[in-house]
Amino acid sequence: MAQSRLEAIGTIYSRVTGLLKSGAIKADQIPLWYPVYEAFPPKYEPRFDRVVEEKPVRKILYQEDVIRAKYYKTYGNWEVVNLFNDEKSTAQTFVDKYLSLAQAGGFTDAELWDRAVSSLELEGVNLGGKETLGQERGEVDENGFTRKHKISFQ
């Protein structure tokens, strides 16, 4: 099946403009992007034969990313994130505490890590996530053991 080679003739903008001038499409039928394109034309005309200049992609790595990667390597990715809730994840709480201690200054990275871990544990934040999963659901008995639910189909 033969296909159209109209991209060699002009841009989509020039073709829609030609259709408007000739009356092939009415003013109420113009595409949504057309007035935006006229208000903010591109710097370079988007033609099929334009040579695209190669720009190297910059590597963006923040200090926060390094801290979060180390956190996930140490404690794992056990937490379920609910995007409808505004609650911070445990990893984000840890990163915030680490950065606030780093702003105080005077500590090495290892000391900052240990201080952030100990201060969050003192606040009751569970970094590992394995101990409180049953407690949150109310499934831990008075001895600290997780109760198994018995399922019966009778």
Side-chain angles (χ1 to χ4, degrees), residues 47-100:
R47 293 186 47 89
F48 81 100
D49 56 350
R50 181 174 60 114
V51 177
V52 179
E53 61 182 84
E54 293 288 327
K55 292 183 181 178
V57 178
R58 296 184 311 176
K59 293 184 179 181
I60 302 173
L61 189 64
Y62 297 101
Q63 180 188 8
E64 181 178 308
D65 298 333
V66 176
I67 298 165
R68 187 173 284 112
K70 186 176 177 185
Y71 173 85
Y72 283 129
K73 188 173 184 179
T74 305
Y75 296 107
N77 190 5
W78 56 269
E79 191 171 19
V80 177
V81 178
N82 183 358
L83 297 178
F84 294 112
N85 195 350
D86 291 336
E87 212 174 286
K88 284 185 179 180
S89 67
T90 308
Q92 185 60 42
T93 305
F94 180 82
V95 169
D96 291 343
K97 178 62 80 172
Y98 186 97
L99 292 176
S100 67

Side-chain angles (χ1 to χ4, degrees), residues 82-139:
N82 183 358
L83 297 178
F84 294 112
N85 195 350
D86 291 336
E87 212 174 286
K88 284 185 179 180
S89 67
T90 308
Q92 185 60 42
T93 305
F94 180 82
V95 169
D96 291 343
K97 178 62 80 172
Y98 186 97
L99 292 176
S100 67
L101 290 171
Q103 286 180 349
F107 304 114
T108 64
D109 287 340
E111 289 173 342
L112 281 172
W113 182 269
D114 293 337
R115 286 180 185 257
V117 168
S118 61
S119 66
L120 286 175
E121 286 176 348
L122 287 174
E123 292 175 9
V125 176
N126 182 16
L127 298 175
K130 295 176 180 98
E131 293 85 9
T132 60
L133 286 177
Q135 291 173 349
E136 291 172 1
R137 296 185 197 131
E139 300 170 354

